[in-house]
Amino acid sequence: MHEPRDSGLSSQQQRMGVEPGALGDGEVGYRGVTACSAVGISYRQLDYWARTGLVVPSVRDASGSGTSRLYSFRDLVVLKVVKRLLDAGVSLQNIRRAIEALRSRGVDDLAGITLISDGTTVYECRSPEEVVDLLQGGQGVFGIAIGGAFKEIQGSLSHLPAESVGAVESAGPVAEPEPDAVGDELAARRARRRAG
């Protein structure tokens, strides 16, 4: 997911109402605080996942103190999938394997994938037949249609700020505002130190 390779929307994405430019083609980036709000995770989780390489922002990674990460729409969808798998009880180690497997296959059409899990293993299904086969084999317990995550993220982003990547790159590094609603004790300490 480091370098989005969208050459256009698939017919499935067009039917789902995925907007051109919404798949991480480099036109728009979302700051960490916006990503947290859209996905429903804490800033601490987002930071940890970026630092450990689980979901690294594909638009711009942080490059030292005072810079901010910028996530693509596709990154937000992956973050949403990670959150759903965690909420379902899948270990972070197994989630990491699943995300890396998606990356290694060069998956361009995430909207066409359904992830099925038994709580331990995560299976990738690309057709309704594969989903049925897994369920009949007794392996699947829950599923995540990535196309549904696309729609959720689009809805969440409709009232959140985005940044033009060209404008951000020419302006240079910008400090990420401290998240105020994520209950991050470390952020509160930093704010108190700065205040005096």
Side-chain angles (χ1 to χ4, degrees), residues 52-196:
T52 60
L54 179 61
V55 183
V56 178
S58 61
V59 177
R60 182 180 69 207
D61 199 0
S63 58
S65 181
T67 61
S68 63
R69 298 178 178 107
L70 281 181
Y71 291 85
S72 69
F73 180 83
R74 180 181 295 256
D75 296 336
L76 299 186
V77 171
V78 173
L79 287 167
K80 186 71 163 180
V81 169
V82 169
K83 180 190 182 324
R84 283 190 178 166
L85 289 169
L86 272 176
D87 290 349
V90 178
S91 73
L92 196 55
Q93 180 181 4
N94 287 335
I95 293 170
R96 190 174 299 278
R97 274 192 232 126
I99 297 301
E100 286 176 11
L102 289 176
R103 273 193 212 123
S104 71
R105 287 188 186 94
V107 175
D108 286 329
D109 189 4
L110 290 177
I113 297 173
T114 299
L115 298 178
I116 303 288
S117 179
D118 57 8
T120 304
T121 306
V122 180
Y123 305 92
E124 174 187 330
C125 299
R126 293 186 160 275
S127 71
E129 294 78 23
E130 290 177 339
V131 173
V132 170
D133 286 347
L134 259 178
L135 294 175
Q136 285 179 342
Q139 292 174 325
V141 173
F142 69 91
I144 299 171
I146 297 181
F150 271 79
K151 286 183 178 180
E152 275 186 52
I153 296 295
Q154 281 183 313
S156 297
L157 290 176
S158 66
H159 65 280
L160 294 171
E163 296 185 24
S164 170
V165 174
V168 170
E169 288 173 355
S170 64
V174 178
E176 178 84 32
E178 293 291 340
D180 55 344
V182 294
D184 188 350
E185 183 183 338
L186 185 58
R189 287 181 189 171
R190 287 183 193 138
R192 284 194 298 269
R193 248 186 304 176
R194 279 195 297 264

